[in-house]
Amino acid sequence: MSALAPILQGFFTDKLIRQRRAGPNTIAAYRDTWRLLLQFASCATGTDPSGLDLAQLDTALVTAFLTYLETERANTTATRNARLAAIRSLFHYAALHAPEHAEHISRVLTIPPKRCDRAVVCYLTAAEIDALLASPDRATWLGRRDHALLLLACQTGLRVCELIGLTRSDIQLSTGAHVRCHGKGRKDRATPLTTQTVATLRVWLTECGGQDHDPLFATSRGHPLPRDAVQKLVAKHAAHAATNCPNLSTKHVTPHTLRHSAAMALLHAGVDTSVIAPWLGHEDPGSAQAYLHADMTIKEKALERIRPPNTSPGRYHAPDTLLAFLEGL
């Protein structure tokens, strides 16, 4: 094997898995990045991926790969930057294990991320959430499951991976009702539940039965719901709810939209962003600032407190008859 292969293997097995204990989503994202880069480098250099040397992944090749992602694979700037972050992470690891390539590595690490536009957070209003929750047919088992899942997502703001990872034992419905989850970054957190959510989950737990280690939301065969199944059911019910709430048809509703909706509901209730951040499991409290930018009600209240300038509307009138003649031409 060349210098690249053992470094790449050590990066995943030693740094990501053993040292950082990275989650499966992180490992999958880094794996996909390097699989794409190795295939691109193999075509560009004519060398099999297992025979590539670290020096062959120079600044020109990595830059060409990033351009290829945007032009031929139609990836967004955010995806391009995420791929670059995975590449930079390995090169930082390589700097410690291949010091003879230090100059080459330092040049690759100087490749900057590309600035990109930041879209305003998409969220659902209270009326839109009500329409979404009314969409599942609660006369069926699947409809009751979907309703309980959507209600829990809208109230707690759990991520998809957190929702599908819940078991029956993670729900505590006695005094101080809450849900416990093992979230991103291997952080555990507890989120309180409202009376409405408690009532719905109590009925659901009684109906589905099972052991404490069984999934809270399962398929009809008892297996945990996969991520894509949650995405599909959210999209399906959002499309159905749009018939009664046309505003939903103008929004791209995903499971993450429900997470944003939970944060905005807290913000509208007067909850400070320093509380919203840990509620959602954000490591950086500044991450919750995005909801302030999206909230028009807070901005409108601020506008009401501002004294407008003393001016009046009007149109230009020519002070002279000759100028008036020219204006009328």
Side-chain angles (χ1 to χ4, degrees):
M1 291 187 294
S2 68
L4 176 61
I7 290 175
L8 185 63
Q9 292 173 352
F11 171 73
F12 279 93
T13 59
D14 182 50
K15 181 177 179 179
L16 288 186
I17 298 177
R18 188 178 67 84
Q19 297 181 20
R20 289 184 53 187
R21 297 184 64 201
N25 292 335
T26 300
I27 294 174
Y30 279 43
R31 175 205 64 200
D32 293 343
T33 295
W34 277 96
R35 184 167 54 188
L36 288 171
L37 177 56
L38 291 178
Q39 292 172 348
F40 179 85
S42 178
C43 293
T45 62
T47 306
D48 291 336
S50 59
L52 287 170
D53 189 81
L54 185 63
Q56 292 178 276
L57 302 184
D58 55 12
T59 307
L61 188 143
V62 173
T63 303
F65 170 69
L66 297 174
T67 303
Y68 156 79
L69 292 178
E70 292 187 283
T71 56
E72 297 190 33
R73 291 185 62 87
N75 289 162
T76 63
T77 302
T79 301
R80 180 257 192 203
N81 290 342
R83 301 295 190 198
L84 176 59
I87 295 171
R88 288 167 58 90
S89 183
L90 181 134
F91 272 82
H92 279 296
Y93 177 82
L96 301 175
H97 296 80
E100 66 275 14
H101 293 287
E103 183 179 355
H104 158 66
I105 291 172
S106 63
R107 286 196 295 267
V108 174
L109 291 176
T110 59
I111 300 176
K114 182 179 288 188
R115 299 184 65 179
C116 58
D117 297 332
R118 293 188 179 183
V120 176
V121 170
C122 177
Y123 66 96
L124 304 184
T125 64
E128 292 166 348
I129 291 176
D130 290 341
L132 179 65
L133 295 178
S135 174
D137 181 9
R138 277 177 274 180
T140 65
W141 182 88
L142 287 178
R144 291 189 292 274
R145 181 203 64 185
D146 292 355
H147 176 262
L149 186 150
L150 292 172
L151 177 60
L152 184 63
C154 290
Q155 192 251 291
T156 61
L158 294 181
R159 299 179 178 92
V160 178
C161 59
E162 296 166 346
L163 280 170
I164 61 179
L166 292 176
T167 63
R168 290 173 53 89
S169 61
D170 292 325
I171 303 297
Q172 300 297 323
L173 301 181
S174 56
T175 303
H178 63 276
V179 55
R180 294 193 306 266
C181 72
H182 187 64
K184 186 177 180 182
R186 298 188 179 275
K187 296 190 293 289
D188 293 324
R189 74 179 190 276
T191 306
L193 300 174
T194 64
T195 304
Q196 179 189 17
T197 306
V198 168
T200 300
L201 290 178
R202 180 173 285 116
V203 172
W204 172 245
L205 288 172
T206 301
E207 177 179 0
C208 63
Q211 304 298 319
D212 288 346
H213 61 271
D214 289 338
L216 178 63
F217 301 113
T219 64
S220 56
R221 296 185 177 182
H223 301 300
L225 274 176
R227 176 188 292 264
D228 60 343
V230 177
Q231 294 172 340
K232 290 179 180 178
L233 74 85
V234 170
K236 178 185 72 173
H237 292 304
H240 181 265
T243 58
N244 297 321
C245 184
N247 289 341
L248 280 172
S249 61
T250 64
K251 297 182 178 181
H252 179 55
V253 183
T254 66
H256 215 69
T257 306
L258 308 185
R259 177 171 165 82
H260 292 324
S261 302
M264 295 302 293
L266 292 171
L267 191 64
H268 290 158
V271 179
D272 191 80
T273 55
S274 61
V275 177
I276 296 176
W279 180 292
L280 297 178
H282 287 311
E283 185 173 354
D284 180 12
S287 301
Q289 294 295 318
Y291 302 112
L292 288 174
H293 295 290
D295 188 16
M296 287 299 297
T297 59
I298 292 180
K299 297 176 182 178
E300 290 170 352
K301 291 179 181 178
L303 184 62
E304 293 174 356
R305 300 176 183 176
I306 298 176
R307 180 180 178 183
N310 186 18
T311 182
S312 58
R315 297 188 61 185
Y316 170 77
H317 296 283
D320 185 85
T321 54
L322 182 58
L323 292 176
F325 165 74
L326 295 174
E327 285 288 332
L329 292 178

